[in-house]
Amino acid sequence: MGPLSIAHGPETVVLKPSKPTSLLAALLLHPNTVVSAAYLLRAVWDEEPPATARAALQTCVLRLRRLFAEYGISATTIEAVPGGYRMRSDTETLDLVHFRTLAAGAAAAGDPGEELYRLREALSLWQGQPLANVASRMLQHDAVPALEQERLRVLERVCDLELAAGNCHQVLVDLYESARRHPVRERFTEQLVEALYRTGRQAEALAEYRTVRDRLRDELGIDPGPGLRRLELAILRAEELAPAPPRPARTATAAGAPALPAGASAAGRPVRALPPVPAFAGRDADRRAMAARLTAAGGPRLVVVSGAPGIGKSALARQTAHEVQEAFPGGVFTLQLARPDGTPVAVEEAARLLPEAAPGRCLIVLDGAAGAWQVLPLLPVAQDAAVLVTSRRQLAAVVATHGGAVHRLDVLRPAEAYGLLAGLVGPERIAAEPAATRELASVCGHFPLALRIAAGRLLTRPGLSVADCAAWLAEDPPARLALAEDAGLSVPEVLGQALDALAPELREAFFRLGAGGAAAEPSAGESESVLEQLVEAGLLEDGPPGPYRLHDLLRIYARWRVRTHETAVPAAPR
């Protein structure tokens, strides 16, 4: 459920678009079922099979069997049966079977919390656009939309369960993305409008309703369905919307999506474990030190992870939480303190979302804090829990009053960046071009965000060499380090959001520093106060007794921003 790939131990190989790849996809879409030769011929050759197509089909099967043998997969996995072929698969060998088994088990679960857990686990199996490397027009036209519908049905059910549990804020990220990507699927918009209204954002809720209403009228000539219309009327009347019981579960068959960043029951208690960050690499010393402090028997158990936008703060916090979760019998709970548009969550709302007292000590991850003002009121509510905070700011006021440690993240070391790319793209493909991989890491400024974007481009283009990818990105890194379907995987969006949150004089100072070299001294025209504020905002590093530093990627972004958005670099004040 993503590019078609073969996993063998720690190694994952994304298959190149080819006729054997199309054949394998056609077989895997019908696991444990006899697939007719006629269907397979259409899947492999679309409407233009060669005169010797059946013999060529046998050749494709032989090529697949040889490929399987290379990775220790039994050559009898593909069985020749009267009328066609069959491929036996189970939950251990095929993600699609695993997904459908989890979805079916979730529908049979008697407890909403258990159902939600299983559905989230099923969604976590999705790794991007299904069959992205399969060239068959027939499968792209027929099979891929059907798979996507399976996923969307499961995601709808997840959002229903979250809303019924009162977790309106936690589900907003899913709903924003789903409603934008599937505007005519009204249930997502209905859920989004309900979640916005129940979190006190009446104007935004009505704006979402009117946007989809206008789109439906303009593009399809129809009005919204009765569910959305009833919701609009309730909002206009300022009626209270109590958590509704979830809609009856459908017997779902589907595949997955990103893992739930935090788990909570209807009462707000942490109930599920946190999975590891995919392909996490490096930060070993930070992880060990953070784990030791969070699990310490006495003294403050507070850790702040700070640093530039996109430098990997949330990933480090989540990976560390995963590694220490067994020390917290009360569970792990993650609270996002920033909305998708970057605006901070109100302290009162965040306090309501914190977990109730749970049996045993718990770990609370406060992700994306805007400043000490947002964190300090939450610490008394957290009581005896260990607390892990991520923020672009260093939150000196927090650790000064409550103790704890601050981990200021720098970019990854070259070897760590190489390891991250190998973990994401696959060690074999990376090892084939080691020099190009190091160049690609350099183009990305060794920033985890940029590296993951580059890896996403390589994974969705199996025929693209690492060298060509690095050369293409190097021509215009800020503009090209972006994946169109996700604003969170876009260097211009992430850095732009951070920069636009600054006061105008700080933005201008950042542009001036970007026009210079990597080191920035007060004597270069900026006051020490301005430089310190940029350090606190996560856009500048270090400071006395050494020089201030501007990361390479941030300096390149500053110049690109001036070139594309501004007319000139403002002069330094005298």
Side-chain angles (χ1 to χ4, degrees):
M1 290 163 304
L4 191 57
S5 60
I6 295 176
H8 178 59
E11 182 178 6
T12 299
V13 177
V14 178
L15 302 180
K16 296 180 179 179
S18 65
K19 288 180 172 55
T21 299
S22 295
L23 171 62
L24 179 59
L27 290 167
L28 292 177
L29 286 165
H30 304 86
N32 306 310
T33 303
V34 176
V35 184
S36 71
Y39 176 88
L40 294 173
L41 289 172
R42 292 197 304 275
V44 175
W45 283 278
D46 291 307
E47 301 301 324
E48 302 170 358
T52 58
R54 290 188 179 269
L57 186 63
Q58 293 175 354
T59 301
C60 288
V61 171
L62 290 174
R63 289 173 61 186
L64 284 177
R65 286 174 173 164
R66 288 194 210 102
L67 179 64
F68 293 166
E70 290 180 22
Y71 294 97
I73 302 172
S74 171
T76 61
T77 302
I78 301 178
E79 301 173 348
V81 296
Y85 293 89
R86 176 173 55 210
M87 191 162 183
R88 296 195 181 277
S89 305
D90 56 27
T91 57
E92 298 296 323
T93 59
L94 181 60
D95 281 347
L96 183 60
V97 173
H98 191 192
F99 171 83
R100 289 172 172 169
T101 301
L102 286 169
D111 176 64
E114 178 66 19
E115 181 182 1
L116 180 60
Y117 173 84
R118 293 188 184 186
L119 291 178
R120 284 288 191 185
E121 187 176 358
L123 288 176
S124 70
L125 297 172
W126 280 81
Q127 301 297 324
Q129 178 66 23
L131 307 184
N133 54 337
V134 174
S136 168
R137 293 194 301 273
M138 185 190 88
L139 296 182
Q140 291 293 335
H141 184 268
D142 297 334
V144 170
L147 285 175
E148 180 66 6
Q149 289 304 310
E150 288 189 64
R151 184 186 76 86
L152 293 177
R153 283 196 295 271
V154 171
L155 183 56
E156 274 187 4
R157 177 63 179 169
V158 164
C159 295
D160 276 337
L161 290 165
E162 294 279 24
L163 290 173
N167 300 329
C168 299
H169 176 73
Q170 290 95 318
V171 80
L172 277 174
V173 174
D174 282 335
L175 290 174
Y176 270 118
E177 178 185 4
S178 301
R180 298 292 187 272
R181 295 183 66 179
H182 309 283
V184 297
R185 199 176 181 102
E186 288 187 40
R187 181 56 187 154
F188 284 133
T189 301
E190 187 178 336
Q191 291 168 326
L192 175 59
V193 170
E194 178 183 344
L196 287 170
Y197 180 60
R198 284 171 55 189
T199 53
R201 297 153 73 177
Q202 177 180 359
E204 291 178 63
L206 286 173
E208 290 291 341
Y209 169 82
R210 287 163 184 165
T211 296
V212 75
R213 178 198 63 190
D214 294 344
R215 181 181 293 113
L216 289 172
R217 287 177 176 174
D218 293 344
E219 297 179 6
L220 301 177
I222 60 175
D223 285 322
L228 269 173
R229 294 200 300 273
R230 283 194 299 270
L231 197 52
E232 181 204 25
L233 187 59
I235 295 171
L236 292 173
R237 291 174 175 172
E239 296 175 0
E240 183 175 351
L241 295 180
R247 297 181 176 192
R250 303 174 184 176
T251 302
T253 54
L260 184 65
S265 68
R269 290 185 291 272
V271 295
R272 68 162 292 188
L274 203 65
V277 175
F280 189 88
R283 313 283 195 206
D284 293 342
D286 286 300
R287 287 182 2 240
R288 286 193 297 269
M290 291 164 61
R293 176 166 290 275
L294 291 170
T295 59
R301 296 187 299 272
L302 171 67
V303 173
V304 173
V305 180
S306 70
I311 207 154
K313 301 180 293 294
S314 296
L316 173 60
R318 179 176 160 188
Q319 181 66 21
T320 303
H322 162 75
E323 292 172 0
V324 302
Q325 60 190 329
E326 291 186 2
F328 297 95
V332 177
F333 184 91
T334 301
L335 177 58
Q336 299 291 336
L337 293 182
R339 306 187 196 280
D341 62 0
T343 57
V345 174
V347 171
E348 296 79 8
E349 181 180 348
R352 290 196 302 270
L353 293 171
L354 284 175
E356 297 176 357
R361 191 170 47 144
C362 70
L363 170 62
I364 297 176
V365 181
L366 301 176
D367 195 17
W373 63 268
Q374 198 181 25
V375 176
L376 286 170
L378 300 179
L379 295 181
V381 183
Q383 298 177 343
D384 294 329
V387 180
L388 177 53
V389 188
T390 73
S391 177
R392 292 171 192 161
R393 301 184 177 276
Q394 300 182 70
L395 304 185
V398 174
V399 294
T401 56
H402 288 75
V406 177
H407 288 256
R408 180 78 174 185
L409 299 189
D410 208 329
V411 296
L412 294 175
R413 294 192 294 270
E416 293 174 330
Y418 188 100
L420 178 58
L421 287 171
L424 291 168
V425 179
E428 184 177 89
R429 188 172 176 189
I430 291 301
E433 299 180 80
T437 299
R438 288 190 287 272
E439 176 61 25
L440 178 60
S442 178
V443 169
C444 293
H446 301 101
F447 262 67
L449 170 66
L451 292 164
R452 288 184 178 272
I453 293 169
R457 184 166 294 279
L458 286 168
L459 283 170
T460 55
R461 292 165 174 80
L464 178 65
S465 72
V466 179
D468 287 343
C469 181
W472 182 77
L473 289 175
E475 292 177 2
D476 195 358
R480 293 180 175 178
L481 280 169
L483 300 181
E485 64 271 18
D486 188 347
L489 289 172
S490 165
V491 166
E493 289 287 341
V494 171
L495 296 186
Q497 190 180 90
L499 191 62
D500 292 342
L502 297 180
E505 60 271 20
L506 293 181
R507 280 202 302 272
E508 293 173 1
F510 177 77
F511 292 144
R512 287 193 293 268
L513 293 171
E521 295 287 0
S523 59
E526 306 301 339
S527 70
E528 185 170 315
S529 171
V530 166
L531 295 176
E532 284 294 319
Q533 289 182 72
L534 288 174
V535 170
E536 181 64 14
L539 295 172
L540 201 60
E541 298 302 317
D542 291 340
Y548 293 91
R549 292 182 300 119
L550 190 63
H551 286 309
D552 289 343
L553 186 64
L554 296 184
R555 186 173 65 257
I556 293 170
Y557 171 78
R559 294 173 178 175
W560 174 82
R561 175 74 177 256
V562 168
R563 188 173 72 248
T564 58
H565 292 70
E566 315 288 336
T567 56
V569 178
R574 296 184 180 275

